[in-house]
Amino acid sequence: MSNSPTFLALGHVTRDIQLDGSFTLGGTVAFAALTASRLGLEAGIVTCADAELTTQLPSLLPGIQLTVQPSIQSTTFANRYQEGFRTQYLYSRADSLELSSVPPAWLEAEIVLLGPLAQELDVDFVKHIPRRPGQLLAATPQGWLRRWESDGRVWPTPWQDAEQILPLLDVLILSHDDLLPFADGDRTEADALLARWSQFIPLLVATDGRYGATLYQAGQPQKFAAYPVQEIDPTGAGDVFAAAFLTHLFWHQDPAQAVNFANCAAACSIEQPGMLGIPTLAQVLARMQS
């Protein structure tokens, strides 16, 4: 492997507790880096985890370059789905990620994805990431849209730092559903917030499940249909979408084509449980052609 990955994901990996008490590896950075790797890029992760999980990561993330900032505990979630809705609990949280934990050479990556899950990347972290021409700096902000109670129950919270962080980014990718709690469930109001945010950033993409995705450029929306699927497990679909979009954008510099490609990759990913559904480039292209 090279010293510097082409695709770098920053944020917490997670233990996702299952109904039987076992865990599966989760987190935006895990799904996104594996997606980039299966699409053909050298991928790396900088994360924070306890000693036991750290020893397991190389086997759980084969082919991924890893830098782990030590922590007494790892971020641990439990996700419960019922009729398409998720109730989430945060049982433990790893330390916040420090920029000094990122190998300097890795900051030369062509694509850098910020994938916070539990407020582990603060404004100063983002502000001090060194930039270079041609690099794509992107974020999936779900971890900036969460708060949790003493019992661990996770609730939505407004993204207070949005207008500080957005101008620092090239791409923001998020789920339309993440904004509905702040719009009283009104999709029109959520769309208005997306349009406002898109004024601060070159590219914004909002995924919307079976409704597809919307690309915003300078406040102007362009909608893309979803691919038909037989849904088995939606976990990580948004992260697969984000990595596929950024990978295609890096290759071809065409945001519209990148959304269609990412829609297809996300559709593939939810037809098998967990990370088993993350597709290869050949699988995505075959599905698009069919």
Side-chain angles (χ1 to χ4, degrees), residues 176 179-180 182-196 208 216 221 223:
H176 195 282
L179 297 183
L180 289 178
F182 317 119
D184 295 323
D186 186 330
R187 295 180 66 85
T188 301
E189 188 173 336
D191 288 342
L193 180 56
L194 290 168
R196 178 185 172 189
D208 202 7
Y216 290 82
K223 294 185 179 297

Side-chain angles (χ1 to χ4, degrees), residues 168-219:
L168 305 173
L169 304 173
D170 301 304
V171 185
L172 185 76
I173 304 167
L174 74 166
S175 167
H176 195 282
D177 286 347
D178 287 339
L179 297 183
L180 289 178
F182 317 119
D184 295 323
D186 186 330
R187 295 180 66 85
T188 301
E189 188 173 336
D191 288 342
L193 180 56
L194 290 168
R196 178 185 172 189
W197 281 357
S198 75
Q199 301 288 345
F200 294 89
I201 190 168
L203 296 173
L204 185 153
V205 187
T207 61
D208 202 7
R210 66 181 182 276
Y211 300 110
T214 304
L215 170 67
Y216 290 82
Q217 299 184 80

Side-chain angles (χ1 to χ4, degrees), residues 5-290:
T6 303
F7 184 102
L8 174 62
L10 306 174
H12 284 172
V13 293
T14 66
R15 283 189 175 96
D16 289 349
I17 304 300
Q18 306 302 300
L19 290 174
D20 63 2
S22 65
F23 82 91
T24 58
L25 185 69
T28 291
V29 296
F31 277 92
L34 276 175
T35 301
S37 178
R38 291 182 186 173
L39 293 175
L41 298 184
E42 289 282 1
I45 291 173
V46 178
T47 191
C48 194
D50 65 57
E52 181 182 8
L53 183 57
T54 297
T55 63
Q56 297 171 328
L57 287 177
S59 61
L60 295 171
L61 295 166
I64 306 301
Q65 300 183 62
L66 295 165
T67 294
V68 183
Q69 176 185 310
S71 178
I72 293 175
Q73 58 190 7
S74 294
T75 297
T76 302
F77 283 106
N79 299 308
R80 302 290 178 256
Y81 292 95
Q82 186 174 11
E83 296 180 357
F85 293 95
R86 180 175 70 176
T87 301
Q88 189 172 59
Y89 291 86
L90 177 63
Y91 291 143
S92 63
R93 179 187 179 274
D95 296 336
S96 293
L97 203 61
E98 298 175 5
L99 190 58
S100 60
S101 295
V102 185
W106 287 25
L107 291 170
E108 295 291 314
E110 301 287 352
I111 304 165
V112 178
L113 174 63
L114 308 177
L117 293 178
Q119 303 285 353
E120 71 267 29
L121 303 176
D122 61 20
V123 174
D124 284 341
F125 186 102
V126 183
K127 284 182 176 179
H128 289 98
I129 294 175
R131 299 301 308 276
R132 63 176 182 78
Q135 184 182 55
L136 283 173
L137 179 60
T140 55
Q142 59 180 317
W144 292 321
L145 294 164
R146 287 178 175 147
R147 63 178 177 86
W148 48 92
E149 303 290 355
S150 58
D151 66 353
R153 175 72 184 270
V154 175
W155 297 95
T157 191
W159 186 11
Q160 301 289 354
D161 300 318
E163 293 182 12
Q164 291 187 66
I165 291 178
L166 287 170
L168 305 173
L169 304 173
D170 301 304
V171 185
L172 185 76
I173 304 167
L174 74 166
S175 167
H176 195 282
D177 286 347
D178 287 339
L179 297 183
L180 289 178
F182 317 119
D184 295 323
D186 186 330
R187 295 180 66 85
T188 301
E189 188 173 336
D191 288 342
L193 180 56
L194 290 168
R196 178 185 172 189
W197 281 357
S198 75
Q199 301 288 345
F200 294 89
I201 190 168
L203 296 173
L204 185 153
V205 187
T207 61
D208 202 7
R210 66 181 182 276
Y211 300 110
T214 304
L215 170 67
Y216 290 82
Q217 299 184 80
Q220 298 301 310
Q222 183 180 2
K223 294 185 179 297
F224 297 81
Y227 282 72
V229 298
Q230 297 293 322
E231 182 176 310
I232 301 297
D233 182 3
T235 304
D239 307 323
V240 172
F241 179 101
F245 175 84
L246 294 169
T247 298
H248 194 282
L249 185 64
F250 165 62
W251 283 336
H252 302 291
Q253 311 300 314
D254 187 320
Q257 288 185 9
V259 174
N260 183 50
F261 179 84
N263 268 341
C264 186
C268 294
S269 75
I270 67 176
E271 294 188 328
Q272 295 187 63
M275 297 178 180
L276 294 176
I278 297 176
T280 64
L281 177 60
Q283 288 172 321
V284 178
L285 295 178
R287 186 164 190 155
M288 291 176 69
Q289 291 169 0
S290 67

